Amino acid sequence: MKVTFYGVRGSVPTPGKETSRYGGNTPCTVLESNNGQKLILDAGTGLRIASCEFSDYPLPINILLSHHHWDHIQGFPFFSPVFKKNSQITIYPGQTDTQHDTAILDQMSKSYFPVKYHQVPSTITIKKTDFSEGYDIGDFHIQSMKMNHPDGGTAFRIFCDNKLLIYATDNELLAPESHNKHGVQDWVKFCEDSDMLIHDAQYLAHEMNDKLGWGHSSIDETLNLAELANVKLLCLFSHDPLRTDDQLDDLTARILGEKPPYSFFFAKEGRSLTL
Ligand SMILES: [Zn+2]
């Protein structure tokens, strides 16, 4: 299974010279099986860049959404297959507290966007799906768990090519009661023995005083989860808009010095790897 990052920034796009190396686009990751089937995780502004992967893609396009906050849907109106007649795009909406399955299309309505979703030539299907007991999309077998986030959302366990990848962006591990769907032990079980864990790591430990309840984890909380869950490779994801490239380099050096029992990296736009 190949994993390519097109957007790794949390909350809001952050163009600028201090974020150019790790990237300023909001979440979008593309998985590809050994057979060449692709699965898109989230439709943040990185999805616009991911269009290049789909110019000659002959198969239906599938997009899993963790939830519908703007930074996870805002790239969709700029995804070039939307404007091609033969494209068949299926969107699996996030499991949000207030069900709003059409959120990604509603941003292409009223006065939000010049082209309305019902005017585009592609075929777009919203497919509300319960992944909790397992569901297959082509080569990908997917399970889910509700994430700890204001307005809710979905984290995914994705099996493909005998590898297990966990995608849990915008998940607050030590969330207050208002959106604490699962405790740390549940997350350990969900992530256990995974080949790769992509997990929110937006804040530093000392920032959590001000950010408690905002729906994101600290880097240290995520490192702890990876260790407890015996994860092989940890990808720290959803960087704070204020986190600079140099700070992420310094954090990498700090964590390397702690000699964690797993491999890790801070997600970087454009990076691709094969599990
Ligand atoms: Zn969110």
Side-chain angles (χ1 to χ4, degrees), residues 66-255:
S66 60
H67 62 312
H68 312 140
H69 286 159
W70 269 356
D71 50 324
H72 293 258
I73 61 173
Q74 211 170 8
F76 188 73
F78 302 92
F79 184 44
S80 62
V82 169
F83 300 94
K84 289 186 181 160
K85 192 172 186 307
N86 294 331
S87 300
Q88 291 190 36
I89 303 170
T90 301
I91 297 162
Y92 298 83
Q95 197 175 1
T96 49
D97 292 340
T98 304
Q99 206 67 39
H100 185 187
D101 297 338
T102 58
I104 193 169
L105 297 183
D106 291 345
Q107 66 180 330
M108 299 176 76
S109 69
K110 299 182 180 173
S111 59
Y112 295 121
F113 197 73
V115 183
K116 314 309 174 197
Y117 68 84
H118 55 82
Q119 295 173 326
V120 301
S122 57
T123 303
I124 302 172
T125 307
I126 301 281
K127 192 169 182 177
K128 185 179 176 181
T129 304
D130 181 6
F131 292 97
S132 59
E133 299 300 319
Y135 185 86
D136 288 333
I137 300 177
D139 289 341
F140 302 93
H141 179 71
I142 303 162
Q143 298 170 340
S144 70
M145 190 160 95
K146 286 186 177 182
M147 60 188 198
N148 298 344
H149 198 56
D151 303 319
T154 315
F156 298 103
R157 271 165 73 86
I158 303 170
F159 299 85
C160 177
D161 301 331
N162 291 317
K163 298 291 180 183
L164 170 59
L165 178 142
I166 312 293
Y167 181 70
T169 183
D170 291 35
N171 186 47
E172 184 169 3
L173 285 164
L174 302 176
E177 205 172 323
S178 56
H179 54 265
N180 194 328
K181 306 271 192 338
H182 297 283
V184 171
Q185 279 313 313
D186 291 340
W187 289 107
V188 169
K189 205 171 159 204
F190 190 72
C191 301
E192 200 146 47
D193 297 328
S194 54
D195 294 285
M196 183 173 183
L197 166 62
I198 301 172
H199 195 283
D200 191 285
Q202 191 150 337
Y203 301 131
L204 304 178
H206 74 266
E207 294 168 342
M208 287 309 289
N209 284 339
D210 292 332
K211 310 286 187 176
L212 190 70
W214 286 32
H216 300 278
S217 297
S218 76
I219 290 166
D220 288 325
E221 288 161 5
T222 297
L223 296 176
N224 185 45
L225 170 66
E227 181 159 358
L228 292 172
N230 192 34
V231 166
K232 292 188 183 68
L233 174 61
L234 170 65
C235 171
L236 297 145
F237 192 74
S238 187
H239 311 318
D240 187 90
L242 295 174
R243 199 78 61 225
T244 65
D245 292 334
D246 289 346
Q247 287 172 339
L248 290 171
D249 286 346
D250 290 347
L251 286 161
T252 301
R254 189 208 92 188
I255 299 165

